[in-house]
Amino acid sequence: MIFRQLFEPLSSTFTYLLGCEETGQAVLIDPVIVSMDRDLAELSRLGLSLAYSVETHIHADHITAALELKKQVGSKIAVPAFDRLSCTDFGIEEGKSLQVGGIALQPLHTPGHTDGHFAYQCGNRVFTGDALLIEGCGRTDFQNGDMDALYKSVKEKLFSLPDDCLVYPAHDYNDRRVSSIAQEKKRNPRLGTHRTLEEFREIMASLKLPYPTFMDYAVPGNRQCGVCPDDLPENLQKYCRHMTDSPQG
């Protein structure tokens, strides 16, 4: 399998490119609209055609490139069926594999950050979205977040994967790229094996994080599979410019 981890610096988002060497088909997990030109250039360089864009959840910090990718290269949009988006071509459900050539994504419903959140296992890798970050986890205070549900998703579902399974999150803010299930069990300060549910509740309740800067625009835009609003304020327009129009990171 061809594999690339791509980073978008504005929202600190990782996009994952998975390509089948045999068929030349590819998948992008969590593509970002400002990085779309970069992603298409990488697909072209590798001689791959994009079959699907795949979302882990409805993002609150960036606009997905799913719809624009579909317009430009005809790729299909795969989104958790739970979210019931009318723009979806393939509704993702647990137990229903997404097969693209020799690539098989096994969806895992991992609610807590959002109620419709999914992670995807592919061989010895798991793409955890915002459910499990490197030595952290996504917040649970909006989009029907639920700290108890997130604790259960990680402890019972993600931590049941093999210890050597590599963890690839949707974000990292400290220049880290990859972890493993064993490492997160041991070192994750919020969700490691030593943490009880009561302790996790206390940690999450005490975070007092600021309201997400772009959420009021990102969530409605992403419920349409990636539409930038017409009324975007000047200071937020950087979230919708293509990479060719903004500094590379």
Side-chain angles (χ1 to χ4, degrees), residues 30 54-59 78-88 90-93 109 111 113-118 120 143-144 219 222-225:
D30 288 340
V54 180
E55 304 293 332
T56 53
H57 62 293
I58 296 173
H59 303 276
V79 175
F82 182 95
D83 292 316
R84 300 181 295 278
L85 304 187
S86 60
C87 50
T88 302
F90 182 89
I92 291 164
E93 301 174 51
H109 187 206
H113 173 61
T114 69
D115 50 359
H117 191 286
F118 270 74
Y120 302 103
Q143 288 182 273
N144 297 316
V219 172
N222 288 328
R223 291 197 67 84
Q224 299 175 73
C225 293

PDB file of all heavy atoms in Angstrom, residues 30 54-59 78-88 90-93 109 111 113-118 120 143-144 219 222-225:
ATOM      1  N   ASP A  30      -9.871  12.621   5.754  1.00  0.00           N
ATOM      2  CA  ASP A  30      -9.913  13.978   6.297  1.00  0.00           C
ATOM      3  C   ASP A  30      -9.146  15.008   5.452  1.00  0.00           C
ATOM      4  O   ASP A  30      -8.242  15.703   5.951  1.00  0.00           O
ATOM      5  CB  ASP A  30      -9.400  14.001   7.746  1.00  0.00           C
ATOM      6  CG  ASP A  30     -10.383  13.359   8.723  1.00  0.00           C
ATOM      7  OD1 ASP A  30     -11.577  13.248   8.380  1.00  0.00           O
ATOM      8  OD2 ASP A  30      -9.952  12.976   9.829  1.00  0.00           O
ATOM      9  N   VAL A  54     -12.791  10.396   2.663  1.00  0.00           N
ATOM     10  CA  VAL A  54     -13.403   9.753   3.827  1.00  0.00           C
ATOM     11  C   VAL A  54     -13.268  10.674   5.036  1.00  0.00           C
ATOM     12  O   VAL A  54     -12.178  11.180   5.313  1.00  0.00           O
ATOM     13  CB  VAL A  54     -12.722   8.394   4.135  1.00  0.00           C
ATOM     14  CG1 VAL A  54     -13.369   7.729   5.342  1.00  0.00           C
ATOM     15  CG2 VAL A  54     -12.781   7.472   2.923  1.00  0.00           C
ATOM     16  N   GLU A  55     -14.368  10.885   5.741  1.00  0.00           N
ATOM     17  CA  GLU A  55     -14.347  11.751   6.916  1.00  0.00           C
ATOM     18  C   GLU A  55     -14.427  10.921   8.200  1.00  0.00           C
ATOM     19  O   GLU A  55     -15.167   9.935   8.268  1.00  0.00           O
ATOM     20  CB  GLU A  55     -15.537  12.719   6.897  1.00  0.00           C
ATOM     21  CG  GLU A  55     -15.635  13.582   5.660  1.00  0.00           C
ATOM     22  CD  GLU A  55     -14.500  14.589   5.530  1.00  0.00           C
ATOM     23  OE1 GLU A  55     -13.929  15.012   6.560  1.00  0.00           O
ATOM     24  OE2 GLU A  55     -14.192  14.954   4.378  1.00  0.00           O
ATOM     25  N   THR A  56     -13.677  11.345   9.220  1.00  0.00           N
ATOM     26  CA  THR A  56     -13.825  10.720  10.533  1.00  0.00           C
ATOM     27  C   THR A  56     -15.032  11.287  11.274  1.00  0.00           C
ATOM     28  O   THR A  56     -15.656  10.586  12.076  1.00  0.00           O
ATOM     29  CB  THR A  56     -12.565  10.922  11.396  1.00  0.00           C
ATOM     30  OG1 THR A  56     -12.236  12.318  11.461  1.00  0.00           O
ATOM     31  CG2 THR A  56     -11.379  10.148  10.821  1.00  0.00           C
ATOM     32  N   HIS A  57     -15.358  12.571  11.005  1.00  0.00           N
ATOM     33  CA  HIS A  57     -16.501  13.214  11.665  1.00  0.00           C
ATOM     34  C   HIS A  57     -16.737  14.575  11.013  1.00  0.00           C
ATOM     35  O   HIS A  57     -15.996  14.970  10.116  1.00  0.00           O
ATOM     36  CB  HIS A  57     -16.249  13.373  13.167  1.00  0.00           C
ATOM     37  CG  HIS A  57     -15.074  14.239  13.520  1.00  0.00           C
ATOM     38  ND1 HIS A  57     -13.765  13.897  13.237  1.00  0.00           N
ATOM     39  CD2 HIS A  57     -15.005  15.454  14.140  1.00  0.00           C
ATOM     40  CE1 HIS A  57     -12.950  14.838  13.679  1.00  0.00           C
ATOM     41  NE2 HIS A  57     -13.674  15.799  14.220  1.00  0.00           N
ATOM     42  N   ILE A  58     -17.775  15.256  11.449  1.00  0.00           N
ATOM     43  CA  ILE A  58     -18.029  16.618  10.980  1.00  0.00           C
ATOM     44  C   ILE A  58     -17.098  17.556  11.746  1.00  0.00           C
ATOM     45  O   ILE A  58     -17.254  17.754  12.953  1.00  0.00           O
ATOM     46  CB  ILE A  58     -19.506  17.010  11.196  1.00  0.00           C
ATOM     47  CG1 ILE A  58     -20.416  16.112  10.344  1.00  0.00           C
ATOM     48  CG2 ILE A  58     -19.742  18.474  10.831  1.00  0.00           C
ATOM     49  CD1 ILE A  58     -21.894  16.309  10.610  1.00  0.00           C
ATOM     50  N   HIS A  59     -16.139  18.100  11.048  1.00  0.00           N
ATOM     51  CA  HIS A  59     -15.081  18.882  11.687  1.00  0.00           C
ATOM     52  C   HIS A  59     -15.555  20.287  12.053  1.00  0.00           C
ATOM     53  O   HIS A  59     -16.395  20.875  11.373  1.00  0.00           O
ATOM     54  CB  HIS A  59     -13.876  18.984  10.745  1.00  0.00           C
ATOM     55  CG  HIS A  59     -13.337  17.658  10.327  1.00  0.00           C
ATOM     56  ND1 HIS A  59     -12.443  16.943  11.095  1.00  0.00           N
ATOM     57  CD2 HIS A  59     -13.569  16.901   9.226  1.00  0.00           C
ATOM     58  CE1 HIS A  59     -12.144  15.807  10.483  1.00  0.00           C
ATOM     59  NE2 HIS A  59     -12.825  15.756   9.352  1.00  0.00           N
ATOM     60  N   ALA A  78     -17.394   9.654   1.284  1.00  0.00           N
ATOM     61  CA  ALA A  78     -17.757   8.667   2.307  1.00  0.00           C
ATOM     62  C   ALA A  78     -17.782   9.364   3.667  1.00  0.00           C
ATOM     63  O   ALA A  78     -16.770   9.905   4.115  1.00  0.00           O
ATOM     64  CB  ALA A  78     -16.766   7.514   2.322  1.00  0.00           C
ATOM     65  N   VAL A  79     -18.943   9.348   4.292  1.00  0.00           N
ATOM     66  CA  VAL A  79     -19.184  10.047   5.554  1.00  0.00           C
ATOM     67  C   VAL A  79     -19.966   9.101   6.467  1.00  0.00           C
ATOM     68  O   VAL A  79     -20.777   8.315   5.978  1.00  0.00           O
ATOM     69  CB  VAL A  79     -19.999  11.346   5.310  1.00  0.00           C
ATOM     70  CG1 VAL A  79     -20.357  12.032   6.604  1.00  0.00           C
ATOM     71  CG2 VAL A  79     -19.218  12.305   4.419  1.00  0.00           C
ATOM     72  N   PRO A  80     -19.745   9.155   7.781  1.00  0.00           N
ATOM     73  CA  PRO A  80     -20.553   8.323   8.672  1.00  0.00           C
ATOM     74  C   PRO A  80     -22.048   8.448   8.393  1.00  0.00           C
ATOM     75  O   PRO A  80     -22.592   9.556   8.350  1.00  0.00           O
ATOM     76  CB  PRO A  80     -20.186   8.848  10.063  1.00  0.00           C
ATOM     77  CG  PRO A  80     -18.766   9.302   9.922  1.00  0.00           C
ATOM     78  CD  PRO A  80     -18.700   9.887   8.537  1.00  0.00           C
ATOM     79  N   ALA A  81     -22.706   7.311   8.194  1.00  0.00           N
ATOM     80  CA  ALA A  81     -24.144   7.309   7.918  1.00  0.00           C
ATOM     81  C   ALA A  81     -24.919   7.927   9.076  1.00  0.00           C
ATOM     82  O   ALA A  81     -26.016   8.481   8.875  1.00  0.00           O
ATOM     83  CB  ALA A  81     -24.617   5.882   7.663  1.00  0.00           C
ATOM     84  N   PHE A  82     -24.368   7.841  10.259  1.00  0.00           N
ATOM     85  CA  PHE A  82     -24.989   8.393  11.467  1.00  0.00           C
ATOM     86  C   PHE A  82     -25.375   9.864  11.285  1.00  0.00           C
ATOM     87  O   PHE A  82     -26.409  10.308  11.793  1.00  0.00           O
ATOM     88  CB  PHE A  82     -24.004   8.253  12.637  1.00  0.00           C
ATOM     89  CG  PHE A  82     -24.531   8.732  13.961  1.00  0.00           C
ATOM     90  CD1 PHE A  82     -25.109   7.852  14.860  1.00  0.00           C
ATOM     91  CD2 PHE A  82     -24.455  10.073  14.319  1.00  0.00           C
ATOM     92  CE1 PHE A  82     -25.605   8.297  16.082  1.00  0.00           C
ATOM     93  CE2 PHE A  82     -24.946  10.528  15.532  1.00  0.00           C
ATOM     94  CZ  PHE A  82     -25.526   9.644  16.415  1.00  0.00           C
ATOM     95  N   ASP A  83     -24.567  10.616  10.546  1.00  0.00           N
ATOM     96  CA  ASP A  83     -24.791  12.056  10.407  1.00  0.00           C
ATOM     97  C   ASP A  83     -25.837  12.413   9.355  1.00  0.00           C
ATOM     98  O   ASP A  83     -26.233  13.576   9.252  1.00  0.00           O
ATOM     99  CB  ASP A  83     -23.466  12.754  10.084  1.00  0.00           C
ATOM    100  CG  ASP A  83     -22.502  12.716  11.259  1.00  0.00           C
ATOM    101  OD1 ASP A  83     -22.949  12.957  12.392  1.00  0.00           O
ATOM    102  OD2 ASP A  83     -21.309  12.435  11.052  1.00  0.00           O
ATOM    103  N   ARG A  84     -26.254  11.439   8.547  1.00  0.00           N
ATOM    104  CA  ARG A  84     -27.364  11.615   7.600  1.00  0.00           C
ATOM    105  C   ARG A  84     -27.186  12.855   6.711  1.00  0.00           C
ATOM    106  O   ARG A  84     -28.083  13.695   6.601  1.00  0.00           O
ATOM    107  CB  ARG A  84     -28.708  11.661   8.330  1.00  0.00           C
ATOM    108  CG  ARG A  84     -29.012  10.416   9.124  1.00  0.00           C
ATOM    109  CD  ARG A  84     -30.357  10.473   9.807  1.00  0.00           C
ATOM    110  NE  ARG A  84     -30.414  11.519  10.821  1.00  0.00           N
ATOM    111  CZ  ARG A  84     -29.942  11.384  12.056  1.00  0.00           C
ATOM    112  NH1 ARG A  84     -29.377  10.245  12.435  1.00  0.00           N
ATOM    113  NH2 ARG A  84     -30.036  12.374  12.918  1.00  0.00           N
ATOM    114  N   LEU A  85     -26.043  12.973   6.083  1.00  0.00           N
ATOM    115  CA  LEU A  85     -25.782  14.102   5.200  1.00  0.00           C
ATOM    116  C   LEU A  85     -26.272  13.771   3.795  1.00  0.00           C
ATOM    117  O   LEU A  85     -25.972  12.705   3.255  1.00  0.00           O
ATOM    118  CB  LEU A  85     -24.287  14.429   5.164  1.00  0.00           C
ATOM    119  CG  LEU A  85     -23.612  14.726   6.508  1.00  0.00           C
ATOM    120  CD1 LEU A  85     -22.181  15.185   6.286  1.00  0.00           C
ATOM    121  CD2 LEU A  85     -24.395  15.764   7.310  1.00  0.00           C
ATOM    122  N   SER A  86     -26.987  14.682   3.196  1.00  0.00           N
ATOM    123  CA  SER A  86     -27.579  14.438   1.870  1.00  0.00           C
ATOM    124  C   SER A  86     -26.516  14.389   0.771  1.00  0.00           C
ATOM    125  O   SER A  86     -26.781  13.877  -0.324  1.00  0.00           O
ATOM    126  CB  SER A  86     -28.609  15.520   1.551  1.00  0.00           C
ATOM    127  OG  SER A  86     -28.004  16.799   1.540  1.00  0.00           O
ATOM    128  N   CYS A  87     -25.332  14.918   1.037  1.00  0.00           N
ATOM    129  CA  CYS A  87     -24.260  14.957   0.035  1.00  0.00           C
ATOM    130  C   CYS A  87     -23.406  13.690   0.021  1.00  0.00           C
ATOM    131  O   CYS A  87     -22.437  13.596  -0.728  1.00  0.00           O
ATOM    132  CB  CYS A  87     -23.371  16.171   0.283  1.00  0.00           C
ATOM    133  SG  CYS A  87     -22.817  16.341   2.004  1.00  0.00           S
ATOM    134  N   THR A  88     -23.769  12.712   0.825  1.00  0.00           N
ATOM    135  CA  THR A  88     -22.967  11.491   0.971  1.00  0.00           C
ATOM    136  C   THR A  88     -23.194  10.516  -0.178  1.00  0.00           C
ATOM    137  O   THR A  88     -24.332  10.283  -0.590  1.00  0.00           O
ATOM    138  CB  THR A  88     -23.318  10.795   2.303  1.00  0.00           C
ATOM    139  OG1 THR A  88     -23.076  11.690   3.381  1.00  0.00           O
ATOM    140  CG2 THR A  88     -22.491   9.544   2.504  1.00  0.00           C
ATOM    141  N   PHE A  90     -21.424   7.392   0.089  1.00  0.00           N
ATOM    142  CA  PHE A  90     -21.267   6.114   0.789  1.00  0.00           C
ATOM    143  C   PHE A  90     -21.414   6.375   2.279  1.00  0.00           C
ATOM    144  O   PHE A  90     -20.624   7.107   2.866  1.00  0.00           O
ATOM    145  CB  PHE A  90     -19.891   5.503   0.491  1.00  0.00           C
ATOM    146  CG  PHE A  90     -19.654   4.153   1.124  1.00  0.00           C
ATOM    147  CD1 PHE A  90     -20.012   2.991   0.462  1.00  0.00           C
ATOM    148  CD2 PHE A  90     -19.066   4.047   2.377  1.00  0.00           C
ATOM    149  CE1 PHE A  90     -19.795   1.740   1.039  1.00  0.00           C
ATOM    150  CE2 PHE A  90     -18.850   2.804   2.964  1.00  0.00           C
ATOM    151  CZ  PHE A  90     -19.211   1.646   2.294  1.00  0.00           C
ATOM    152  N   GLY A  91     -22.446   5.799   2.879  1.00  0.00           N
ATOM    153  CA  GLY A  91     -22.671   5.965   4.314  1.00  0.00           C
ATOM    154  C   GLY A  91     -21.894   4.935   5.103  1.00  0.00           C
ATOM    155  O   GLY A  91     -22.116   3.724   4.966  1.00  0.00           O
ATOM    156  N   ILE A  92     -20.977   5.408   5.910  1.00  0.00           N
ATOM    157  CA  ILE A  92     -20.091   4.520   6.665  1.00  0.00           C
ATOM    158  C   ILE A  92     -20.813   3.966   7.886  1.00  0.00           C
ATOM    159  O   ILE A  92     -21.437   4.708   8.645  1.00  0.00           O
ATOM    160  CB  ILE A  92     -18.814   5.274   7.075  1.00  0.00           C
ATOM    161  CG1 ILE A  92     -17.969   5.578   5.833  1.00  0.00           C
ATOM    162  CG2 ILE A  92     -18.006   4.481   8.087  1.00  0.00           C
ATOM    163  CD1 ILE A  92     -16.909   6.615   6.048  1.00  0.00           C
ATOM    164  N   GLU A  93     -20.706   2.663   8.071  1.00  0.00           N
ATOM    165  CA  GLU A  93     -21.292   1.988   9.220  1.00  0.00           C
ATOM    166  C   GLU A  93     -20.300   0.976   9.761  1.00  0.00           C
ATOM    167  O   GLU A  93     -19.543   0.362   9.006  1.00  0.00           O
ATOM    168  CB  GLU A  93     -22.586   1.268   8.831  1.00  0.00           C
ATOM    169  CG  GLU A  93     -23.664   2.160   8.260  1.00  0.00           C
ATOM    170  CD  GLU A  93     -24.854   1.360   7.767  1.00  0.00           C
ATOM    171  OE1 GLU A  93     -25.369   0.523   8.539  1.00  0.00           O
ATOM    172  OE2 GLU A  93     -25.257   1.547   6.604  1.00  0.00           O
ATOM    173  N   HIS A 109     -17.141   2.795  15.122  1.00  0.00           N
ATOM    174  CA  HIS A 109     -17.899   3.922  15.665  1.00  0.00           C
ATOM    175  C   HIS A 109     -17.327   4.273  17.037  1.00  0.00           C
ATOM    176  O   HIS A 109     -17.352   3.465  17.963  1.00  0.00           O
ATOM    177  CB  HIS A 109     -19.377   3.562  15.770  1.00  0.00           C
ATOM    178  CG  HIS A 109     -20.238   4.718  16.168  1.00  0.00           C
ATOM    179  ND1 HIS A 109     -21.448   4.556  16.806  1.00  0.00           N
ATOM    180  CD2 HIS A 109     -20.068   6.065  16.023  1.00  0.00           C
ATOM    181  CE1 HIS A 109     -21.993   5.748  17.032  1.00  0.00           C
ATOM    182  NE2 HIS A 109     -21.166   6.680  16.573  1.00  0.00           N
ATOM    183  N   PRO A 111     -17.918   7.268  19.286  1.00  0.00           N
ATOM    184  CA  PRO A 111     -18.537   8.528  19.713  1.00  0.00           C
ATOM    185  C   PRO A 111     -17.895   9.080  20.981  1.00  0.00           C
ATOM    186  O   PRO A 111     -17.237   8.356  21.735  1.00  0.00           O
ATOM    187  CB  PRO A 111     -19.985   8.122  19.958  1.00  0.00           C
ATOM    188  CG  PRO A 111     -19.924   6.676  20.318  1.00  0.00           C
ATOM    189  CD  PRO A 111     -18.818   6.115  19.469  1.00  0.00           C
ATOM    190  N   HIS A 113     -16.238  12.552  21.063  1.00  0.00           N
ATOM    191  CA  HIS A 113     -15.859  13.888  20.590  1.00  0.00           C
ATOM    192  C   HIS A 113     -17.055  14.486  19.857  1.00  0.00           C
ATOM    193  O   HIS A 113     -17.449  15.616  20.119  1.00  0.00           O
ATOM    194  CB  HIS A 113     -14.640  13.782  19.679  1.00  0.00           C
ATOM    195  CG  HIS A 113     -14.273  15.077  19.020  1.00  0.00           C
ATOM    196  ND1 HIS A 113     -13.919  16.200  19.730  1.00  0.00           N
ATOM    197  CD2 HIS A 113     -14.216  15.439  17.712  1.00  0.00           C
ATOM    198  CE1 HIS A 113     -13.657  17.195  18.901  1.00  0.00           C
ATOM    199  NE2 HIS A 113     -13.841  16.761  17.656  1.00  0.00           N
ATOM    200  N   THR A 114     -17.615  13.732  18.931  1.00  0.00           N
ATOM    201  CA  THR A 114     -18.937  13.993  18.367  1.00  0.00           C
ATOM    202  C   THR A 114     -19.711  12.682  18.435  1.00  0.00           C
ATOM    203  O   THR A 114     -19.116  11.615  18.571  1.00  0.00           O
ATOM    204  CB  THR A 114     -18.880  14.476  16.902  1.00  0.00           C
ATOM    205  OG1 THR A 114     -18.439  13.385  16.078  1.00  0.00           O
ATOM    206  CG2 THR A 114     -17.929  15.657  16.742  1.00  0.00           C
ATOM    207  N   ASP A 115     -21.018  12.766  18.306  1.00  0.00           N
ATOM    208  CA  ASP A 115     -21.809  11.533  18.412  1.00  0.00           C
ATOM    209  C   ASP A 115     -21.668  10.642  17.186  1.00  0.00           C
ATOM    210  O   ASP A 115     -21.887   9.431  17.250  1.00  0.00           O
ATOM    211  CB  ASP A 115     -23.281  11.830  18.699  1.00  0.00           C
ATOM    212  CG  ASP A 115     -23.893  12.869  17.773  1.00  0.00           C
ATOM    213  OD1 ASP A 115     -23.170  13.397  16.898  1.00  0.00           O
ATOM    214  OD2 ASP A 115     -25.097  13.163  17.924  1.00  0.00           O
ATOM    215  N   GLY A 116     -21.276  11.234  16.048  1.00  0.00           N
ATOM    216  CA  GLY A 116     -21.141  10.443  14.824  1.00  0.00           C
ATOM    217  C   GLY A 116     -19.704  10.112  14.465  1.00  0.00           C
ATOM    218  O   GLY A 116     -19.430   9.751  13.317  1.00  0.00           O
ATOM    219  N   HIS A 117     -18.806  10.210  15.401  1.00  0.00           N
ATOM    220  CA  HIS A 117     -17.371  10.036  15.124  1.00  0.00           C
ATOM    221  C   HIS A 117     -17.025   8.579  14.786  1.00  0.00           C
ATOM    222  O   HIS A 117     -17.513   7.652  15.414  1.00  0.00           O
ATOM    223  CB  HIS A 117     -16.566  10.492  16.337  1.00  0.00           C
ATOM    224  CG  HIS A 117     -15.095  10.605  16.086  1.00  0.00           C
ATOM    225  ND1 HIS A 117     -14.271   9.514  15.969  1.00  0.00           N
ATOM    226  CD2 HIS A 117     -14.305  11.693  15.919  1.00  0.00           C
ATOM    227  CE1 HIS A 117     -13.029   9.931  15.745  1.00  0.00           C
ATOM    228  NE2 HIS A 117     -13.028  11.249  15.712  1.00  0.00           N
ATOM    229  N   PHE A 118     -16.137   8.425  13.778  1.00  0.00           N
ATOM    230  CA  PHE A 118     -15.629   7.106  13.407  1.00  0.00           C
ATOM    231  C   PHE A 118     -14.102   7.116  13.348  1.00  0.00           C
ATOM    232  O   PHE A 118     -13.491   8.129  12.997  1.00  0.00           O
ATOM    233  CB  PHE A 118     -16.166   6.677  12.033  1.00  0.00           C
ATOM    234  CG  PHE A 118     -17.457   5.912  12.102  1.00  0.00           C
ATOM    235  CD1 PHE A 118     -18.651   6.554  12.382  1.00  0.00           C
ATOM    236  CD2 PHE A 118     -17.482   4.539  11.916  1.00  0.00           C
ATOM    237  CE1 PHE A 118     -19.844   5.864  12.455  1.00  0.00           C
ATOM    238  CE2 PHE A 118     -18.675   3.826  11.980  1.00  0.00           C
ATOM    239  CZ  PHE A 118     -19.858   4.487  12.256  1.00  0.00           C
ATOM    240  N   TYR A 120     -10.895   4.456  11.733  1.00  0.00           N
ATOM    241  CA  TYR A 120     -10.772   3.471  10.647  1.00  0.00           C
ATOM    242  C   TYR A 120      -9.500   2.649  10.830  1.00  0.00           C
ATOM    243  O   TYR A 120      -8.403   3.208  10.882  1.00  0.00           O
ATOM    244  CB  TYR A 120     -10.736   4.171   9.279  1.00  0.00           C
ATOM    245  CG  TYR A 120     -11.955   5.014   9.042  1.00  0.00           C
ATOM    246  CD1 TYR A 120     -11.895   6.400   9.177  1.00  0.00           C
ATOM    247  CD2 TYR A 120     -13.180   4.436   8.728  1.00  0.00           C
ATOM    248  CE1 TYR A 120     -13.021   7.180   8.994  1.00  0.00           C
ATOM    249  CE2 TYR A 120     -14.310   5.211   8.548  1.00  0.00           C
ATOM    250  CZ  TYR A 120     -14.225   6.582   8.680  1.00  0.00           C
ATOM    251  OH  TYR A 120     -15.347   7.348   8.515  1.00  0.00           O
ATOM    252  N   GLN A 143     -21.108  19.643  19.730  1.00  0.00           N
ATOM    253  CA  GLN A 143     -21.519  18.643  18.733  1.00  0.00           C
ATOM    254  C   GLN A 143     -21.933  17.318  19.381  1.00  0.00           C
ATOM    255  O   GLN A 143     -21.532  16.245  18.967  1.00  0.00           O
ATOM    256  CB  GLN A 143     -20.392  18.396  17.714  1.00  0.00           C
ATOM    257  CG  GLN A 143     -20.194  19.562  16.737  1.00  0.00           C
ATOM    258  CD  GLN A 143     -19.110  19.273  15.725  1.00  0.00           C
ATOM    259  OE1 GLN A 143     -17.936  19.521  15.972  1.00  0.00           O
ATOM    260  NE2 GLN A 143     -19.499  18.735  14.588  1.00  0.00           N
ATOM    261  N   ASN A 144     -22.743  17.438  20.414  1.00  0.00           N
ATOM    262  CA  ASN A 144     -23.227  16.260  21.142  1.00  0.00           C
ATOM    263  C   ASN A 144     -22.090  15.422  21.700  1.00  0.00           C
ATOM    264  O   ASN A 144     -22.186  14.188  21.767  1.00  0.00           O
ATOM    265  CB  ASN A 144     -24.142  15.404  20.259  1.00  0.00           C
ATOM    266  CG  ASN A 144     -25.394  16.142  19.842  1.00  0.00           C
ATOM    267  OD1 ASN A 144     -26.029  16.816  20.655  1.00  0.00           O
ATOM    268  ND2 ASN A 144     -25.749  16.041  18.573  1.00  0.00           N
ATOM    269  N   VAL A 219     -18.865  23.867  10.812  1.00  0.00           N
ATOM    270  CA  VAL A 219     -19.862  22.802  10.975  1.00  0.00           C
ATOM    271  C   VAL A 219     -20.966  22.877   9.915  1.00  0.00           C
ATOM    272  O   VAL A 219     -21.248  21.878   9.240  1.00  0.00           O
ATOM    273  CB  VAL A 219     -20.432  22.788  12.411  1.00  0.00           C
ATOM    274  CG1 VAL A 219     -21.606  21.815  12.524  1.00  0.00           C
ATOM    275  CG2 VAL A 219     -19.343  22.385  13.404  1.00  0.00           C
ATOM    276  N   ASN A 222     -19.426  21.889   6.589  1.00  0.00           N
ATOM    277  CA  ASN A 222     -19.092  20.465   6.481  1.00  0.00           C
ATOM    278  C   ASN A 222     -20.320  19.573   6.466  1.00  0.00           C
ATOM    279  O   ASN A 222     -20.261  18.435   5.992  1.00  0.00           O
ATOM    280  CB  ASN A 222     -18.138  20.072   7.611  1.00  0.00           C
ATOM    281  CG  ASN A 222     -16.751  20.647   7.395  1.00  0.00           C
ATOM    282  OD1 ASN A 222     -16.311  20.814   6.261  1.00  0.00           O
ATOM    283  ND2 ASN A 222     -16.048  20.947   8.483  1.00  0.00           N
ATOM    284  N   ARG A 223     -21.441  20.079   6.947  1.00  0.00           N
ATOM    285  CA  ARG A 223     -22.689  19.327   6.798  1.00  0.00           C
ATOM    286  C   ARG A 223     -23.151  19.324   5.344  1.00  0.00           C
ATOM    287  O   ARG A 223     -24.019  18.537   4.961  1.00  0.00           O
ATOM    288  CB  ARG A 223     -23.782  19.897   7.707  1.00  0.00           C
ATOM    289  CG  ARG A 223     -23.514  19.650   9.200  1.00  0.00           C
ATOM    290  CD  ARG A 223     -24.763  19.834  10.039  1.00  0.00           C
ATOM    291  NE  ARG A 223     -25.755  18.808   9.739  1.00  0.00           N
ATOM    292  CZ  ARG A 223     -25.781  17.595  10.283  1.00  0.00           C
ATOM    293  NH1 ARG A 223     -24.861  17.240  11.162  1.00  0.00           N
ATOM    294  NH2 ARG A 223     -26.708  16.730   9.955  1.00  0.00           N
ATOM    295  N   GLN A 224     -22.528  20.179   4.528  1.00  0.00           N
ATOM    296  CA  GLN A 224     -22.750  20.168   3.079  1.00  0.00           C
ATOM    297  C   GLN A 224     -21.544  19.559   2.349  1.00  0.00           C
ATOM    298  O   GLN A 224     -21.380  19.762   1.149  1.00  0.00           O
ATOM    299  CB  GLN A 224     -22.987  21.597   2.594  1.00  0.00           C
ATOM    300  CG  GLN A 224     -24.192  22.275   3.214  1.00  0.00           C
ATOM    301  CD  GLN A 224     -24.299  23.728   2.775  1.00  0.00           C
ATOM    302  OE1 GLN A 224     -24.660  24.025   1.632  1.00  0.00           O
ATOM    303  NE2 GLN A 224     -23.951  24.645   3.666  1.00  0.00           N
ATOM    304  N   CYS A 225     -20.725  18.838   3.097  1.00  0.00           N
ATOM    305  CA  CYS A 225     -19.546  18.134   2.557  1.00  0.00           C
ATOM    306  C   CYS A 225     -18.448  19.077   2.058  1.00  0.00           C
ATOM    307  O   CYS A 225     -17.624  18.701   1.235  1.00  0.00           O
ATOM    308  CB  CYS A 225     -19.937  17.150   1.461  1.00  0.00           C
ATOM    309  SG  CYS A 225     -20.937  15.763   2.083  1.00  0.00           S
TER     310      CYS A 225
END
